Amino acid sequence: MSTDSSDLFGALFETPPASRTVAVLVPMPAPKPYSYAVPDGMAVEPGSVVQVPLGPRQVIGVVWDGGDEGVDPKKLRPISHVFDCPPLSREMRDFIDWVASYTLSPPGLVARMALRAPNAFEPEPMVEGLRFVGGEPERMTPARGRVLDIAGDGLSWTRSGLAHAAGVSTSVVDGLVSLGVFETVFLSPPPVVAKPDPDFITSRLEGPQKEAAEEILGEVRKGEFAVSLIDGVTGSGKTEVYFEAIAETLKQGKQVLILLPEIALTASFLERFQDRFGAKPAEWHSDLAPRMREKVWRQAVTGEVRVVAGARSALFLPFEDLGLLIVDEEHDPAYKQEDRVFYNARDMAVVRGRIGDFPVVLVSATPSVESQVNGQSGRYTTIHLPTRFGDAALPDLHLIDMRRHAPERGGFLSPVLVRAIGKTVEKKQQALLFLNRRGYAPLTLCRVCGHRFQCPQCSSWLVEHRFKRQLQCHQCGHNERTPEACPECGTLDHLVACGPGVERIAEEVERHFPDARTIVLSSDIMGGVKRLRLELDAIAKGEADIVIGTQLVAKGHNFPLMTLVGIVDADLGLANGDPRAAERTFQLLSQVTGRAGRTGLKSHGLLQTYQPQHPVMQAIVSGDAGAFYEREIAERERAILPPFGRLASIIVSAETRHDAETHARGMRNAAPQVTGISVLGPAEAPLALVRGRHRFRLLVHGRRNSDMQGFLRAMLSQAPKERGSVHVQLDIDPQSFL
């Protein structure tokens, strides 16, 4: 029987019958979910992950709460497919809605962060395996005998697993399969990591660490929302303390999420976790292979993965039963995302704990001012660890007044620091030199005509990277070959590097110590994360004498032989208008100097500064963090700055300066008149040109109890609409003021 082609075409595109509608949140910048019809016979519920038509495309979406029952299903496009994975929980959907409302972001873009592994929405394929069915080959060899001895217990094996266990090649196993000794079976895919054992080793904590662990365990055993802040000096055993909280949560049968600012670089943390629990946690970060990301996502939502250690994006993993959330190095600026959806993972972690009703633990040797204030007010429980674990002592810290102990001509290291490095290397110990500036020099100019090398797309100078023989822009990535002659006047050999980067410090160190083994640690070294991990491992093993690094070295690493830390430019972070400059400088320098003496060796920290009387410098060398925080908190309160006030940043960018400024002024004029909230600007942003786009900035300032979101919604509704190249970027609680 033949079929008319027109009938076949109609059948392919015929809308299946549907009797109800649902709201589906799609990963697009739409203000609310779209309505779709549910075909008869299809089972969906709030949280179901589905595929729906959107224009000419098929996109992933999530069935959301509150469907539009007033719309005729026959007038709507139907859901195309329901994926075979657990639905997003009510807590996860509430969290997505909360983040969208707080950050004033489209909820679809927030949901997109929870759906970043589309190939994980369907179950993983079964793995082909083998099972012994009896019999014996006519020709028995020792290799075949080992295989049959292991497989004789009746358990199923993969080919490679059986070959590895028997110590033979897979060809031996294949030979036995061809003889009919094994049958083919299908096995569930293996877990990405083994299950951690909370009783793998017993706790060795004592003194203050044991008391801190008992206090944390009290909160975990309650199984309800509470925030604890572990405030302990570097090396005080903070990690071991929260490991006890993890063990208790695992005993309760719940999952754990550990947020780390640089998980891709902290192999030592993963090893410490394995030493305590007998297995590593699953990792989640941008450098993870796509296939592994899919496995981790799937096994987190099904509950197979019990512990995940990840970067800030792990906060949006849809766990089956999350029971504890830990934010290590909670002060770290890396927790702030400044792309698409602007959020602070530390603050959103607290929100996720409140919505899910489970405890949250914040950890830092230098807590943020916000967390300190929350601890003082009683919103957080603060647990202090004032001493290092075991016999280790904090390093002796001293300031080097660069006005009295100036470097030699053309150098940047004081003779005092150079002598200290020499003594350290002589004792077969390690020295760390810290400078938070990548490359060789931050500025290159011509001695003859004064020409400065600037990025053609940004209002920033090009940074010389001598190892790569390039000039690079650290804003947009533009790079060009370092020329031999000035492009302005054509003079040869008169280009001069101004100021130091880590590469230039390495050059100076090699002049002073030509026989020392030197390593430069920077995020832009060739080889990426893999090489950085190898370099960190080499330092920990004592395979380097002098380490020169940027802020990467402050990320909680443990270097047993490190006994000297030298801060090349302690004043660097203070030279800007950022209201958090003093806090960040204090945190960064404290974290860096804390790398020294963690295993009990006598250690020192030397800070080169032109401002020895600055409160930050005095607080660091005196060890009186309390006095620094007291002063910083008082200044914030007087200025009504966070956490005593609220800030929101609005960046208006466009291809022309006129369009950006005109739109920014239109937004300023649309601001409602509200007591307690003021709008500053518009003014050109400190980085007025980035990637060829001109930028103007408005800063909204309000008191703590101000309805900042309501004010901004009203302002945006009355402001001119974005047209042409104009783009408006909104950041609640900004961390960057560039």
Side-chain angles (χ1 to χ4, degrees):
M1 179 179 175
S2 63
T3 302
D4 186 87
S5 61
S6 61
D7 292 339
L8 179 60
F9 182 85
L12 284 173
F13 290 90
E14 182 180 353
T15 301
S19 57
R20 70 186 182 105
T21 67
V22 293
V24 176
L25 193 60
V26 295
M28 305 287 289
K32 61 181 181 179
Y34 294 139
S35 294
Y36 284 89
V38 181
D40 290 341
M42 179 182 286
V44 297
E45 60 179 295
S48 293
V49 182
V50 297
Q51 182 174 289
V52 295
L54 186 67
R57 298 178 297 140
Q58 293 285 330
V59 299
I60 306 297
V62 184
V63 177
W64 219 244
D65 305 271
D68 190 354
E69 299 296 337
V71 180
D72 184 356
K74 296 178 182 178
K75 297 181 179 180
L76 297 175
R77 302 178 77 179
I79 294 174
S80 308
H81 178 67
V82 181
F83 290 98
D84 184 11
C85 73
L88 300 191
S89 66
R90 178 58 186 263
E91 289 79 12
M92 191 67 195
R93 301 195 305 276
D94 287 347
F95 178 62
I96 290 171
D97 279 335
W98 199 98
V99 173
S101 176
Y102 185 84
T103 62
L104 298 183
S105 303
L109 291 186
V110 182
R112 184 184 181 194
M113 295 191 290
L115 302 172
R116 295 300 292 270
N119 291 334
F121 301 152
E122 297 285 12
E124 291 184 65
M126 301 292 280
V127 177
E128 187 177 302
L130 302 172
R131 185 166 55 210
F132 180 62
V133 294
E136 188 173 299
E138 292 182 5
R139 188 172 66 86
M140 179 64 74
T141 65
R144 286 180 169 182
R146 292 197 300 273
V147 172
L148 295 180
D149 286 343
I150 291 174
D153 57 8
L155 297 177
S156 299
W157 292 80
T158 63
R159 272 181 169 79
S160 59
L162 180 56
H164 180 75
V168 301
S169 67
T170 54
S171 62
V172 176
V173 177
D174 291 337
L176 291 170
V177 172
S178 66
L179 294 172
V181 176
F182 290 99
E183 67 175 351
T184 300
V185 295
F186 288 94
L187 310 174
S188 298
V192 291
V193 288
K195 284 192 175 181
D197 179 4
D199 297 315
F200 185 71
I201 64 168
T202 56
S203 172
R204 296 192 295 265
L205 297 180
E206 54 188 32
Q209 290 77 22
K210 189 173 183 179
E211 294 173 8
E214 286 299 325
E215 193 165 353
I216 290 288
L217 287 174
E219 299 292 352
V220 173
R221 286 170 182 145
K222 292 177 186 176
E224 57 189 34
F225 172 69
V227 183
S228 301
L229 171 64
I230 302 179
D231 175 7
V233 297
T234 54
S236 60
K238 298 184 293 296
T239 304
E240 284 72 19
V241 168
Y242 72 66
F243 275 176
E244 296 309 301
I246 293 172
E248 179 62 29
T249 305
L250 292 173
K251 290 175 184 177
Q252 296 174 0
K254 296 183 178 181
Q255 294 167 290
V256 179
L257 171 60
I258 309 165
L259 295 184
L260 296 161
E262 294 287 351
I263 177 63
L265 300 179
T266 48
S268 60
F269 171 83
L270 303 178
E271 291 167 3
R272 289 171 69 183
F273 188 95
Q274 185 174 26
D275 291 343
R276 171 62 178 84
F277 296 100
K280 289 184 179 181
E283 295 181 54
W284 182 269
H285 51 80
S286 59
D287 288 295
L288 212 58
R291 184 72 182 121
M292 182 57 68
R293 285 174 66 87
E294 292 157 10
K295 284 177 172 285
V296 173
W297 191 97
R298 178 82 190 187
Q299 294 182 20
V301 77
T302 59
E304 294 172 79
V305 163
R306 308 309 298 167
V307 181
V308 173
R312 61 178 182 246
S313 59
L315 190 61
F316 292 89
L317 278 172
F319 290 89
E320 180 196 42
D321 187 15
L322 189 58
L324 176 66
L325 208 165
I326 293 165
V327 185
D328 205 346
E329 308 290 357
E330 63 88 29
H331 67 278
D332 200 293
Y335 284 125
K336 177 71 176 186
Q337 172 160 303
E338 297 179 326
D339 179 42
R340 289 180 176 263
V341 178
F342 287 60
Y343 68 92
N344 189 312
R346 177 199 65 213
D347 300 339
M348 297 304 107
V350 174
V351 172
R352 184 154 189 193
R354 178 177 288 280
I355 292 173
D357 197 26
F358 57 76
V360 177
V361 179
L362 309 180
V363 186
S364 178
T366 53
S368 62
V369 168
E370 288 84 351
S371 294
Q372 288 279 17
V373 171
N374 282 328
Q376 293 174 6
S377 66
R379 282 188 288 271
Y380 297 172
T381 299
T382 303
I383 300 169
H384 292 285
L385 290 172
T387 59
R388 282 188 161 178
F389 186 68
D391 298 325
L394 289 166
D396 293 331
L397 302 180
H398 301 280
L399 299 176
I400 299 176
D401 188 342
M402 298 294 279
R403 298 167 300 183
R404 297 173 54 194
H405 305 284
E408 63 183 35
R409 185 175 179 83
F412 300 92
L413 302 179
S414 164
V416 177
L417 181 54
V418 172
R419 287 194 297 271
I421 296 170
K423 291 178 182 178
T424 302
V425 173
E426 285 176 10
K427 291 187 290 186
K428 306 298 182 183
Q429 296 171 358
Q430 291 174 324
L432 168 65
L433 297 180
F434 170 77
L435 176 63
N436 201 21
R437 188 182 276 151
R438 292 179 286 157
Y440 184 85
L443 173 65
T444 302
L445 55 79
C446 174
R447 284 197 187 98
V448 177
C449 70
H451 173 75
R452 298 184 177 194
F453 287 84
Q454 183 172 342
C455 176
Q457 303 180 85
C458 304
S459 52
S460 60
W461 308 120
L462 292 177
V463 177
E464 181 182 357
H465 287 254
R466 193 158 290 188
F467 293 172
K468 298 178 182 179
R469 299 181 181 179
Q470 286 184 345
L471 297 173
Q472 294 184 0
C473 173
H474 289 173
Q475 301 302 322
C476 70
H478 168 83
N479 65 81
E480 55 191 61
R481 189 81 172 171
T482 304
E484 295 182 359
C486 173
E488 188 74 21
C489 67
T491 307
L492 284 166
D493 300 326
H494 275 73
L495 299 180
V496 60
C498 300
V502 286
E503 294 177 10
R504 194 169 193 178
I505 298 302
E507 186 177 85
E508 184 174 351
V509 164
E510 288 172 6
R511 286 201 307 270
H512 288 294
F513 308 101
D515 297 327
R517 298 169 299 174
T518 304
I519 284 181
V520 176
L521 283 182
S522 176
S523 59
D524 52 12
I525 67 170
M526 297 177 68
V529 169
K530 185 175 181 180
R531 180 179 171 185
L532 280 171
R533 280 187 165 181
L534 292 173
E535 301 277 35
L536 290 167
D537 187 52
I539 297 167
K541 292 177 180 177
E543 296 172 2
D545 301 313
I546 303 172
V547 181
I548 302 153
T550 62
Q551 62 181 352
L552 287 178
V553 299
K555 302 293 184 180
H557 308 297
N558 187 21
F559 303 134
L561 295 177
M562 190 76 66
T563 59
L564 173 67
V565 171
I567 309 297
V568 176
D569 187 353
D571 306 325
L572 181 60
L574 299 173
N576 61 55
D578 188 338
R580 291 186 175 89
E583 176 192 4
R584 284 183 175 163
T585 300
F586 173 78
Q587 290 166 339
L588 186 57
L589 299 186
S590 297
Q591 292 282 341
V592 174
T593 53
R595 298 310 103 205
R598 293 170 69 93
T599 54
L601 296 172
K602 180 68 175 176
S603 60
H604 303 274
L606 299 175
L607 291 78
Q608 296 190 157
T609 176
Y610 288 93
Q611 306 177 65
Q613 299 306 314
H614 194 286
V616 171
M617 304 304 156
Q618 291 299 312
I620 292 172
V621 296
S622 68
D624 192 356
F628 170 77
Y629 279 113
E630 183 178 347
R631 176 182 173 276
E632 190 70 14
I633 289 169
E635 287 191 3
R636 297 270 189 99
E637 190 169 16
R638 278 195 298 272
I640 319 179
L641 289 172
F644 304 100
R646 301 194 62 194
L647 294 175
S649 172
I650 302 173
I651 295 288
V652 180
S653 64
E655 292 177 358
T656 69
R657 187 181 186 281
H658 175 266
D659 287 349
E661 182 177 13
T662 300
H663 193 90
R665 293 193 180 281
M667 292 194 70
R668 173 67 181 85
N669 294 334
Q673 299 299 313
V674 176
T675 302
I677 298 182
S678 58
V679 180
L680 307 176
E684 275 194 315
L687 284 174
L689 184 69
V690 175
R691 295 182 177 88
R693 295 183 62 84
H694 297 265
R695 305 164 77 242
F696 275 78
R697 186 166 172 271
L698 299 103
L699 188 66
V700 184
H701 178 226
R703 297 186 177 275
R704 182 168 187 162
N705 59 354
S706 302
D707 181 10
M708 182 66 73
Q709 280 78 4
F711 176 88
L712 291 168
R713 287 190 187 97
M715 181 177 175
L716 291 171
S717 67
Q718 297 300 316
K721 303 304 177 188
E722 297 178 38
R723 290 186 174 86
S725 66
V726 172
H727 176 66
V728 176
Q729 175 183 291
L730 188 61
D731 183 3
I732 307 291
D733 305 328
Q735 298 290 309
S736 171
F737 291 84
L738 297 178

